[in-house]
Amino acid sequence: MDDFGSLVERPDARLRRDSAERWPALVRPANGLGKAAELADWLAAVQGAVPLRPLTSPRVILFAADHGVAQLDVSARKAGTAGVLAKAAVDGTAPVNVIARRLGVPVDVVDMALDCDPAELPDEVTAYRVRRGSGRIDVEDALTREEAEQAFRTGMELADRHADSGTDIVVLGDLSVGGTTPAAVLIAALCGTDASVVTGRGSGIDDLAWMRKCAAIRDALRRARPVLGDQLALLGAVGGADFAAMTGFLLQAAVRKLPVVLDGVVSAACALVGQRIAFRAPDWWLAGHATGEPGQAKALDRVSLDPLFDHGITVGGGVGALLALPLVQSAAALSAELPEEKPADHAESVQEPEA
């Protein structure tokens, strides 16, 4: 863990400035492209190139798991049914698949701790499973120390694999039942806030379920505070295999200079944990959209990331972040493909009056 602090570099600030200084020669007015130009400048620093290379090999990666705390009826979905969400994504019938087909983006589902028979899913989906479901974090650890480390290393391995295979940007999301509860615990613990400040409606729960969720988060917070100084222990105590894997993925992606677009509150919680391990790492990530979850807003504020969109999308599963991808790709294309104008092109022609 300590190595990440030195391995993660900052994106190249000089190239970010060089990219910003090109816009007067590309478009008038120079600030006319707004957020797209800002994204292009960020991408220039990330890629280490001006002009940019177009983003041609994006990928959606969804880490899937069931969370034992869902047994307390803190989710609108029945405990242990995240496998249904995973099967839909594998079969191509989930919302994220519809958008991904339109954009030509592959979708990978990674089973980290689904509570279903592995035979119900393809081998390539279940190959990395750490365990079946997770512990109930209000009364027990989600994972053992060994399971947390295994999941974390899986995330690192997958980041390396995609960086090596030519993936140039990743949309990172989750498929879980009960996942927003451990996310809220991690965010409250790391930000030093009360449960009520970070507890949202998740999958669309009613007031009674919200109160149960708050109580579960408060109980889990008492278990989280003693291990705040050890992020791997924290992920094992009150996170889950998907959280550990996503955190490992985010950090290794930052080491490999692979940009990542975050989806909802789960990926935001993992980003917050990742920042504690390597403070430069958030410079390699984007927040795709605002979900309305108070925990997500708190975490993104702490890691200094502003959501690209706020369209009220709460369905999860990478949908909101994937909808932000065309903006990021368009920003790269504008930098890569707009021709530079010559200084004379900007001058207004002045005709001499006839004698």
Side-chain angles (χ1 to χ4, degrees), residues 174-185:
D174 70 287
L175 295 168
S176 63
V177 172
T180 62
T181 300
V185 176

Side-chain angles (χ1 to χ4, degrees), residues 65-67 70 75-86 114-116 176-177:
D66 278 294
H67 293 274
S75 172
R77 297 187 177 96
K78 186 178 178 182
T81 59
V84 176
L85 303 176
L114 289 173
D115 188 10
C116 66
S176 63
V177 172

Side-chain angles (χ1 to χ4, degrees), residues 71-341:
Q71 298 167 19
L72 299 175
D73 294 329
V74 296
S75 172
R77 297 187 177 96
K78 186 178 178 182
T81 59
V84 176
L85 303 176
K87 288 175 196 173
V90 170
D91 293 341
T93 59
V96 70
N97 301 109
V98 175
I99 302 166
R101 280 194 295 272
R102 174 69 59 178
L103 299 178
V105 181
V107 177
D108 292 348
V109 177
V110 184
D111 172 9
M112 296 305 303
L114 289 173
D115 188 10
C116 66
D117 186 340
E120 298 177 18
L121 292 163
D123 291 343
E124 62 269 21
V125 173
T126 60
Y128 294 103
R129 181 184 287 193
V130 170
R131 56 181 285 167
R132 182 165 177 164
S134 66
R136 228 184 76 184
I137 59 173
D138 60 319
V139 294
E140 62 181 335
D141 288 348
L143 310 168
T144 66
R145 177 81 181 199
E146 292 74 21
E147 289 168 342
E149 181 174 343
Q150 180 184 344
F152 188 91
R153 289 187 181 277
T154 291
M156 292 176 59
E157 178 184 338
L158 289 172
D160 279 332
R161 176 183 299 180
H162 287 288
D164 291 338
S165 66
T167 298
D168 52 22
I169 191 166
V170 169
V171 173
L172 186 66
D174 70 287
L175 295 168
S176 63
V177 172
T180 62
T181 300
V185 176
L186 289 168
I187 293 165
L190 292 170
C191 294
T193 59
D194 184 67
S196 61
V197 176
V198 296
T199 305
R201 298 286 174 168
S203 54
I205 56 177
D206 59 21
D207 289 345
L208 286 175
W210 184 88
M211 287 188 282
R212 289 193 297 269
K213 188 173 180 179
C214 274
I217 292 169
R218 288 193 184 102
D219 290 340
L221 273 172
R222 285 193 285 271
R223 304 186 60 261
R225 291 185 181 114
V227 293
L228 274 178
D230 182 341
Q231 280 73 43
L232 197 59
L234 180 66
L235 289 165
V238 295
D242 50 345
F243 284 81
M246 290 174 77
T247 303
F249 186 97
L250 283 168
L251 287 167
Q252 190 63 14
V255 171
R256 298 299 305 273
K257 303 181 179 181
L258 174 63
V260 178
V261 185
L262 308 176
D263 187 39
V265 66
V266 170
S267 56
C270 295
L272 186 58
V273 178
Q275 183 201 44
R276 287 297 183 100
I277 298 169
F279 70 94
R280 301 183 191 94
D283 291 346
W284 300 92
W285 312 328
L286 293 172
H289 72 124
T291 64
E293 283 284 313
Q296 186 206 27
K298 190 77 175 174
L300 294 181
D301 179 69
R302 188 58 63 95
V303 299
S304 300
L305 293 178
D306 295 322
L308 297 180
F309 291 116
D310 185 357
H311 293 332
I313 295 170
T314 60
V315 70
V319 171
L322 183 55
L323 286 172
L325 179 62
L327 172 60
V328 184
Q329 289 179 303
S330 297
L334 286 165
S335 173
E337 299 174 21
L338 279 175
E340 291 195 27
E341 299 181 22

